[in-house]
Amino acid sequence: MVVPTEAYDDIISLERQPIRVGMIGLHSQSGWAIKSHYPAIMQLSMCFKITALYNKSINQSMETIKDLRLKDAVAYPDLESFVSNSEVEMIVVSTHVVKHYDLLIPILQYATKNSHLKYLFVEWALGCSISQAELIYNEAAKIGIQTIICLQGRKSPYILRAKELINEGALGELNSIEIMGNGGWYGYDRPIKSPAHIYELGYGVDLVTSTFAHTIDILQYITSSYFSKVNAMVFNNIPEQYVVDENGIPTGQKLPKNVPDHLLFQGTLQSGNIPVSCSIKGGKPTKKFTKNLVIDIHGTKGDIKIEGDAGFIEMSNLVLYYSGVKINNVPTNDTPISNSNQNEVMEVHHLRNYNGVLGNIFRLYQAIADFHYSPNGGFKTGKITPFQYQGFEFNGFPTMLDALLLHRLIDNVYKSDSYNSTLDVSNIYTHP
Amino acid sequence: MVVPTEAYDDIISLERQPIRVGMIGLHSQSGWAIKSHYPAIMQLSMCFKITALYNKSINQSMETIKDLRLKDAVAYPDLESFVSNSEVEMIVVSTHVVKHYDLLIPILQYATKNSHLKYLFVEWALGCSISQAELIYNEAAKIGIQTIICLQGRKSPYILRAKELINEGALGELNSIEIMGNGGWYGYDRPIKSPAHIYELGYGVDLVTSTFAHTIDILQYITSSYFSKVNAMVFNNIPEQYVVDENGIPTGQKLPKNVPDHLLFQGTLQSGNIPVSCSIKGGKPTKKFTKNLVIDIHGTKGDIKIEGDAGFIEMSNLVLYYSGVKINNVPTNDTPISNSNQNEVMEVHHLRNYNGVLGNIFRLYQAIADFHYSPNGGFKTGKITPFQYQGFEFNGFPTMLDALLLHRLIDNVYKSDSYNSTLDVSNIYTHP
């Protein structure tokens, strides 16, 4: 399998300074950042160094510095001093989506005061709505900072191998794609300890903006194509949930839910007018005969199946199956599992201990380092030349523009549902 | 498994006369009728007897009578004498769909001259269009003849068991359904011996009117629900096919195709607002990791998976998987395959030698016999009381009204595609 990373020995051998990272949302006791961003940065300590923390309370930052022994890090009492400090070259915003807008707009204003600031790394979904995403994107574009968005599924080794196979023609012409996912949450039961905001619309974390968006972003990335036409139906069939305790036993309490629990989506890809069928279900899976994530991609010369135990493709370990005919009769450098027919090739990829939560984000940080330390990156000139967006490139990383294009698709999902229309989306991918 | 048939010993013991059948489209040398209707009738010879044949050429009928040794059958030179003959109690129309209209309108006119005529059995699709189907239905309704339509998949033992499981609550509340099919034909290659009319729109035999219609009719039947909202996208991505010889080798010839090669369909069932996702692909399957027919039905208490080697559900042998929790802790009378947990039940149904082509039609004829010989059927009174339609009943058989409702759904599939709209179809199932 292709690991999309340069050799890091080269990097260390040069006199390079790690990128100085200021983090928003890193708490030693809980949260997403401590499970994903933090270990990724630690494993890439020649490339990244945490120098600043900002949290709602400075005590939380100080506690985190102490707990994690972040000897180079300073806790900042306010956002302005955190952003404008010359010790910060890269800001990572790892907070609830609902806080993105209120943090990012001032960050982008203060950013002009810090000439060392080069990178702004934000979790998907970049705001709770298309309008928030647009405003944030416009501010970032104005000051020319290099943005990174945590659509980390693009860095999954399974996804990259699938993309590579399709790219080199191993499936021939694609002609049909089916996606089925089980998004977890949003079902009949509500675990008593789950955060309330994921069950309420407008917080930017739901079946559509989260489960679907990551999945469809990956599909577009694998196939190197955006959509031309889409139709969607959004369901809230479970408006009330039963609260269950740690053992899944109902507490007797019921709570309202207004986020979707099911999405039907179908459309055609611009490239090849390929039909894509997609059904994403929320709730605790009862599915016995199918995995919680299945992507079937069919072509004239072969097929790919991607399977996952959980519907969250961007943070899951996966299995990739490929079957097809040899291209130019040159054997691939991958493991052939069965080769009964001389012209048939089959590959099965599964890394038993791959940690999808950490692994994909780790690879995203690697891509940032690749960019930063490359001859055209920030190291040589002292000033980086931002690249607009990743699009469907193997290298690089998704940016705010990639996120904006994805927001536009999501916006059309809701519009299609509201208007009972199949929508032409071929023009939503234009950009400056 | 439940076999939806009464005990035939009872029937024979009574002094009953077999139903006298006049067949249109039975040829001893070729065609569908000789493979399906004919052996079904032969196996039910205490209930049915072929007494008349009509074909385009009387020689063909005479040859068939001779070849099959149909000692009770007469070959008729014209449609009028065939229909009006008192020796005919049931007419079976097993011809190309394109001929339905031109045959059925005169049949229904001549039918008034034959007081013995009780049944009119027609292949799906009952005409090439919604308007033909409506005209035929109206004529039939006027004279009050009992109609039967060959939506024979409803009689598949797998389908009936699935329906039974859902009906008795073995899946709890249904909440998500996914269908994937590979319709054969309509792909990149055109077998040199395949009939030309299946590649041209307007002949009533294509991916939508045939593959999709049978499948979705069965889905509605299993779930006992019609659709409330549908969206569809119809594709003709392969407007030119490569002609291949008997060994699949291209002859060098190319021929145009204008029937669809892919259908995306999604919608919600009236009952429970259940999301249904459906993708039907034409062409020679290259799929290695999935069956050519897969229906996944998920509920709060269990799942059903129906699989078939071919996309043609109405004439395929299938496999039915069920997993769920015991209802009222009463064991089912089916084979438990695994029972590790006291409350979990699993069933797998597969009749290794079940002939789907013959078996389902055989069961349809059985249902006609059940109706005919029942106390309220034709035997007792000498005159049957026609029943309007099967709807979602276990007993009975699909009628022209069932066919008309299905035609309306198909009509909405094409409309949804043309208008780029999600259509409310909740009112298409009304009838006199």
Side-chain angles (χ1 to χ4, degrees):
Chain A
M1 287 175 77
V2 170
V3 177
T5 313
E6 291 179 6
Y8 278 83
D9 296 343
D10 295 354
I11 290 168
I12 316 169
S13 72
L14 297 170
E15 287 175 34
R16 287 173 182 179
Q17 295 299 317
I19 302 168
R20 284 162 292 158
V21 180
M23 297 206 67
I24 303 181
L26 177 64
H27 313 141
S28 53
Q29 301 301 323
S30 65
W32 168 250
I34 189 71
K35 286 183 223 154
S36 55
H37 291 267
Y38 176 69
I41 290 172
M42 287 301 107
Q43 285 181 40
L44 292 165
S45 58
M46 342 63 125
C47 306
F48 298 94
K49 180 169 81 176
I50 298 174
T51 56
L53 288 193
Y54 175 72
N55 283 297
K56 208 175 168 187
S57 115
I58 191 167
N59 289 338
Q60 209 171 24
S61 300
M62 282 162 62
E63 198 179 274
T64 299
I65 287 171
K66 198 180 142 203
D67 287 355
L68 304 178
R69 294 177 199 172
L70 301 174
K71 63 180 170 49
D72 301 309
V74 173
Y76 286 85
D78 61 281
L79 192 58
E80 182 168 1
S81 60
F82 168 83
V83 177
S84 54
N85 193 285
S86 64
E87 273 307 293
V88 172
E89 287 177 292
M90 170 167 164
I91 293 174
V92 176
V93 179
S94 180
T95 67
H96 284 171
V97 175
V98 72
K99 296 179 186 159
H100 284 178
Y101 183 79
D102 288 344
L103 281 168
L104 286 164
I105 295 297
I107 285 173
L108 290 162
Q109 278 159 2
Y110 303 143
T112 52
K113 299 183 187 170
N114 178 356
S115 63
H116 294 87
L117 186 61
K118 298 185 183 80
Y119 302 104
L120 178 56
F121 185 169
V122 186
E123 297 285 352
W124 172 256
L126 188 65
C128 299
S129 64
I130 176 90
S131 55
Q132 286 193 353
E134 260 167 11
L135 289 165
I136 298 166
Y137 167 76
N138 288 338
E139 284 305 305
K142 232 185 269 171
I143 66 167
I145 196 168
Q146 178 63 57
T147 60
I148 304 109
I149 294 289
C150 204
L151 288 163
Q152 73 269 36
R154 292 173 171 227
K155 291 295 171 192
S156 160
Y158 308 102
I159 300 310
L160 282 163
R161 179 61 187 150
K163 180 174 171 65
E164 196 176 51
L165 284 163
I166 290 170
N167 201 54
E168 69 193 19
L171 273 73
E173 304 288 318
L174 303 190
N175 53 30
S176 180
I177 294 171
E178 298 121 17
I179 303 171
M180 279 151 300
N182 197 315
W185 314 108
Y186 324 120
Y188 302 92
D189 296 343
R190 177 188 297 196
I192 196 160
K193 287 199 167 167
S194 62
H197 74 276
I198 65 171
Y199 304 107
E200 262 193 70
L201 267 180
Y203 284 80
V205 186
D206 58 55
L207 191 85
V208 178
T209 51
S210 181
T211 323
F212 169 74
H214 275 290
T215 309
I216 214 73
D217 179 64
I218 285 169
L219 184 84
Q220 292 182 140
Y221 185 64
I222 290 178
T223 58
S224 300
S225 179
Y226 293 119
F227 280 87
S228 54
K229 218 165 68 169
V230 301
N231 180 270
M233 300 183 194
V234 181
F235 298 77
N236 182 19
N237 279 343
I238 309 165
E240 241 186 4
Q241 298 177 302
Y242 294 94
V243 178
V244 296
D245 69 13
E246 291 81 349
N247 303 312
I249 312 294
T251 64
Q253 201 192 357
K254 275 181 169 190
L255 285 171
K257 168 179 87 54
N258 63 17
V259 291
D261 41 54
H262 210 298
L263 170 69
L264 291 177
F265 171 90
Q266 60 190 19
T268 59
L269 290 177
Q270 287 180 12
S271 159
N273 199 35
I274 304 158
V276 177
S277 174
C278 174
S279 174
I280 296 196
K281 178 176 177 291
K284 203 174 103 189
T286 55
K287 295 172 167 184
K288 286 272 173 174
F289 305 116
T290 178
K291 291 280 180 180
N292 284 314
L293 173 79
V294 182
I295 301 181
D296 276 305
I297 304 179
H298 310 289
T300 50
K301 290 181 180 168
D303 301 279
I304 277 177
K305 189 190 262 302
I306 297 169
E307 285 190 340
D309 285 330
F312 307 104
I313 189 169
E314 78 282 8
M315 55 171 107
S316 297
N317 195 4
L318 305 172
V319 187
L320 170 66
Y321 302 89
Y322 159 67
S323 159
V325 290
K326 263 184 208 168
I327 306 158
N328 304 327
N329 270 349
V330 178
T332 70
N333 55 2
D334 287 90
T335 336
I337 296 292
S338 120
N339 203 358
S340 60
N341 183 312
Q342 275 296 310
N343 288 316
E344 281 188 14
V345 188
M346 186 174 273
E347 291 179 17
V348 179
H349 296 287
H350 181 62
L351 306 165
R352 196 177 300 186
N353 298 312
Y354 186 70
N355 177 339
V357 170
L358 170 56
N360 297 348
I361 288 196
F362 171 79
R363 284 153 187 256
L364 196 46
Y365 275 95
Q366 279 187 322
I368 300 167
D370 283 347
F371 174 76
H372 184 75
Y373 295 112
S374 76
N376 302 316
F379 182 75
K380 268 256 166 95
T381 63
K383 208 170 148 53
I384 59 148
T385 313
F387 85 104
Q388 270 208 302
Y389 76 135
Q390 183 179 29
F392 305 131
E393 293 301 313
F394 280 90
N395 292 321
F397 37 78
T399 70
M400 281 195 188
L401 185 48
D402 292 291
L404 184 60
L405 302 188
L406 190 54
H407 259 290
R408 289 186 187 150
L409 184 63
I410 292 168
D411 188 46
N412 276 276
V413 161
Y414 280 110
K415 278 183 181 153
S416 168
D417 177 63
S418 300
Y419 305 164
N420 286 319
S421 283
T422 300
L423 299 173
D424 181 347
V425 291
S426 47
N427 57 350
I428 68 167
Y429 302 99
T430 55
H431 49 84
Chain B
M1 285 175 81
V2 171
V3 176
T5 312
E6 292 179 6
Y8 278 84
D9 296 344
D10 294 353
I11 290 168
I12 314 168
S13 71
L14 298 170
E15 286 175 34
R16 287 173 181 180
Q17 293 300 318
I19 302 168
R20 286 162 291 158
V21 180
M23 297 206 68
I24 304 181
L26 176 64
H27 313 143
S28 53
Q29 301 301 322
S30 67
W32 169 250
I34 187 72
K35 285 182 225 156
S36 54
H37 292 266
Y38 175 69
I41 289 172
M42 287 300 108
Q43 287 181 38
L44 292 165
S45 57
M46 345 59 129
C47 307
F48 298 94
K49 180 169 82 174
I50 298 175
T51 54
L53 287 193
Y54 174 71
N55 283 297
K56 207 175 166 187
S57 115
I58 192 168
N59 289 337
Q60 210 170 23
S61 300
M62 284 162 63
E63 198 180 273
T64 298
I65 288 172
K66 197 178 144 205
D67 287 355
L68 303 179
R69 294 176 199 172
L70 301 175
K71 61 179 173 45
D72 301 308
V74 173
Y76 286 85
D78 61 281
L79 192 59
E80 183 168 2
S81 59
F82 169 82
V83 177
S84 53
N85 194 287
S86 65
E87 273 307 294
V88 172
E89 286 177 293
M90 171 170 164
I91 292 174
V92 176
V93 179
S94 180
T95 66
H96 285 172
V97 175
V98 72
K99 295 179 187 160
H100 283 177
Y101 183 79
D102 288 343
L103 281 168
L104 286 164
I105 294 297
I107 284 173
L108 290 162
Q109 278 159 1
Y110 303 142
T112 51
K113 299 184 188 170
N114 178 355
S115 63
H116 294 86
L117 187 61
K118 297 186 184 78
Y119 301 104
L120 178 55
F121 186 170
V122 185
E123 297 285 353
W124 170 256
L126 187 66
C128 299
S129 63
I130 175 89
S131 55
Q132 286 192 354
E134 260 165 11
L135 289 165
I136 297 166
Y137 167 76
N138 288 339
E139 285 304 307
K142 230 185 272 173
I143 66 165
I145 195 168
Q146 178 64 58
T147 60
I148 304 109
I149 293 290
C150 204
L151 288 163
Q152 73 270 36
R154 292 173 171 227
K155 291 295 172 191
S156 160
Y158 308 102
I159 299 310
L160 281 163
R161 179 60 186 150
K163 181 175 172 66
E164 196 176 50
L165 284 163
I166 289 170
N167 201 55
E168 69 192 21
L171 274 72
E173 303 289 317
L174 303 191
N175 53 29
S176 179
I177 294 171
E178 297 121 18
I179 304 170
M180 280 152 299
N182 198 316
W185 315 108
Y186 324 121
Y188 302 92
D189 296 342
R190 177 187 296 198
I192 197 161
K193 287 199 168 166
S194 62
H197 75 275
I198 65 171
Y199 304 108
E200 261 193 70
L201 267 180
Y203 284 82
V205 186
D206 57 57
L207 191 84
V208 178
T209 51
S210 181
T211 322
F212 168 73
H214 275 290
T215 309
I216 213 73
D217 178 64
I218 285 169
L219 183 83
Q220 292 181 142
Y221 185 63
I222 289 178
T223 59
S224 300
S225 179
Y226 294 119
F227 281 88
S228 54
K229 216 164 70 168
V230 300
N231 179 269
M233 301 183 194
V234 181
F235 298 77
N236 182 17
N237 279 342
I238 309 165
E240 239 187 6
Q241 298 176 301
Y242 293 94
V243 178
V244 296
D245 68 15
E246 290 82 348
N247 302 313
I249 311 293
T251 63
Q253 201 192 357
K254 276 180 167 190
L255 285 171
K257 168 180 86 54
N258 63 17
V259 291
D261 40 54
H262 210 298
L263 169 70
L264 291 177
F265 171 90
Q266 60 190 19
T268 60
L269 290 178
Q270 288 180 12
S271 159
N273 201 34
I274 305 158
V276 177
S277 173
C278 174
S279 174
I280 296 196
K281 179 177 179 288
K284 201 173 104 190
T286 55
K287 294 173 166 184
K288 286 273 173 172
F289 305 117
T290 179
K291 291 280 181 179
N292 284 315
L293 173 80
V294 182
I295 300 181
D296 277 305
I297 303 179
H298 310 290
T300 51
K301 291 182 180 169
D303 301 279
I304 277 177
K305 191 192 262 300
I306 297 168
E307 285 190 340
D309 286 331
F312 306 103
I313 190 168
E314 78 282 8
M315 56 170 104
S316 297
N317 195 2
L318 304 172
V319 187
L320 169 66
Y321 302 90
Y322 159 67
S323 158
V325 290
K326 264 184 207 166
I327 306 158
N328 304 327
N329 270 350
V330 179
T332 71
N333 56 1
D334 286 272
T335 335
I337 295 292
S338 120
N339 202 359
S340 60
N341 184 312
Q342 275 296 312
N343 289 314
E344 282 188 15
V345 188
M346 187 176 272
E347 292 179 16
V348 179
H349 296 286
H350 182 61
L351 307 165
R352 197 177 298 187
N353 297 313
Y354 186 71
N355 178 340
V357 169
L358 169 56
N360 297 348
I361 287 195
F362 170 78
R363 284 153 185 256
L364 196 46
Y365 275 95
Q366 279 188 322
I368 300 168
D370 283 346
F371 174 76
H372 184 75
Y373 295 111
S374 76
N376 304 316
F379 182 75
K380 269 252 165 100
T381 62
K383 209 171 146 52
I384 61 148
T385 313
F387 81 100
Q388 268 209 303
Y389 75 135
Q390 183 179 31
F392 305 131
E393 294 300 313
F394 280 90
N395 291 320
F397 38 77
T399 70
M400 279 195 190
L401 184 49
D402 292 293
L404 183 60
L405 302 188
L406 190 53
H407 258 291
R408 289 187 189 150
L409 184 63
I410 292 169
D411 189 46
N412 277 277
V413 161
Y414 280 109
K415 278 183 181 153
S416 169
D417 179 63
S418 299
Y419 304 162
N420 286 319
S421 282
T422 299
L423 299 174
D424 181 347
V425 291
S426 47
N427 57 349
I428 68 168
Y429 302 99
T430 55
H431 50 84

